[in-house]
Amino acid sequence: MSYPYQIKTAEEYKEAYKKSVENPDAFWNDIAETFQWHKKWDRTLEWNFIEPDIKWFVNGKLNITENCIDRHLKELGEKPAIIWEPNNPEERVRIVTYNRLHKRVCQFAQVLKNNGVKKGDRVCIYMGMVPELAYAVLGCARIGAIHSVIFGGFSAQSIADRLLDAQAEYIVTCDGAYRGEKVIPLKDVIDDALIGNKTVKRVIVYTRTRTPVSMIKGRDVWWEDEMAHAEDQVEKGGAVSFPAVEMDAEDTLFILYTSGSTGKPKGVVHTCGGYMVYTNYSFVNTFQYQPGQVFFCTADIGWITGHSYIVYGPLSAGATSVMFEGVPTWPNAGRLWEIVDKYKVDILYTAPTAIRSLMGFGLEPLQGKDLSSLKVLGSVGEPINEEAWHWFDEHIGKGKCPIVDTWWQTETGGILISNLAGVTPGIPSFATLPLPGVQPVLIDENGKEVEGNPAAGNLCIKAPWPSILRTTYGDHERCRQTYFSAYPGLYFTGDGALRDEKGNYRITGRVDDVLNVSGHRIGTAEVENAINMHSGVVESAVVGYPHAIKGQGIYAYVVFNGDKHNDTGDRQNILQTVSRIIGPIAKPDKIQFVKGLPKTRSGKIMRRILRKIAEGETQNFGDISTLLDPGVVEEIAEGKV
Ligand code: WT7
């Protein structure tokens, strides 16, 4: 595998960037032509950001799995595609070669077909981090079904909402999942999610933990039985092979749900052609991946980071991708370093929250771990604070590994702003420069572009890159409203940013009511809805506050019915309710019971004040004269938890 479009010097970066802006069609044509297409596209790009309507590689035909697997078989067939490290370090590791991956993905595509799955059908995948999760994702892509992966930490209610929104007819799950010392009963959760569901016809269950499950006749089948049957079928004609279904470049590849500032998660839609090209391009360039290197992204495939940089980006580049089932702190805080040592990892891509939590264990867990294979480090999910950056640089990279601070979003599909490892300079706490094809702009409070440097404003993007979201599933208007209406003609990211004298971007965080908790996106409205479902709660308001490890913590102000609440018991019950409605990741870190919320005369909650109190401010609340009852502010400030 070679990457003719890999940028090697700062000079080449400048040239590539210039070309990508001046002649995007020619720029992306050259890159896209290195992939395997059934039919070449007629036009490279058609777009407007008003409706929005975005099409890349118009009328091009392809299947992404042929690009992620088949095209590598001749050269890399016996090379590892996935190295799987189990939760329990005593358990046998699994090395999945490209040949093996091909076989399993074909086999699973056959299983899907046997169970009635057709192109365009929605398949919900709710599994732990086992290789079968990758087979399931790629099996869907091979047959043209739309996968919707749901992170294993989401509750039955969250799954039910997503199943309904996607009108999913199929589910792939596990009996259970290991996470550190915990076993999560995934199939049980699915059973709860399916109470009252009218669309799901089939549930395929992979055995991982031997957690007892109830299998419903006519609906639930075992992965193992189905795979064995498929193997018999496909093997009759010789090797296991399943012809990849031809997809249009703009056919949907997957849906991934993410939170926003309203109460209901939205299904971000990515399509086949542009997503393939951009995840590959950004992978090869940001991390400066070289053939044969071992790439380790510590994310879960339930999030976009795992989709783009465990599965599609690395595999389309013929890379070796490490997939880790467990957690960084179990059985001890040296686990990631042990994995780096064991597999001689070249590139490690992780999150600031993981770095901060591991920093807390000191240097002891690093003892005896050989990290000399590392060449590049990466960070994603939230701004990386300088302390964490320096610790990562000094103790993990030993001062010799470039750190790429990669800014992007579920909606962007791939990395948009980042230094390129060893090619363009990194600056602590700056994501730095846009990748070729990406045109960021900063917009001031009057909706005007802020030109010149330095500058500050809301971060928008001027023109499409190949992996921009195309719509939100089943509700295009919501997509328009959320991303394309605040500043007509621009894609609005929801983030604020600064730009220094040299044009480097520093992301300052969300400017909407979305929190970033341990790199997970959580909408405050969603948490409020969940809290409000608890009986006895009249209303609530949720804000973020600085948290040493999570980046942001969740602070909930809750108005209880009457004075009858018992603090500890009710706190526990509220946490339980949020866990049930969304999942444990959305549990508030702090709950303060209040008599009332600071509201304007028109009934709007003044979150600015609540944020200040949660941050520890005791008096300077700014102008509170428009409040219906200014007295409530002091009372809340005094009761801070
Ligand atoms: C939000 C997107 C993209 C994968 C993980 C999160 C924040 C992400 C950075 C970074 C500063 C970052 C932004 C963004 N964010 N990476 N390197 N520096 N902030 O995906 O859940 O879609 O969240 O994460 O606020 O909008 P997501």
Side-chain angles (χ1 to χ4, degrees), residues 258 304-305 379-384 405-411 431 493 495 507 509-510 516 519-521:
T258 190
I304 190 70
T305 309
S379 166
V380 62
E382 56 174 307
I384 178 166
D405 179 352
T406 64
W407 174 84
W408 58 298
Q409 312 178 294
T410 303
E411 295 86 346
T493 64
D495 280 326
I507 313 299
R510 302 288 306 195
N516 190 324
H520 301 319
R521 197 200 296 194

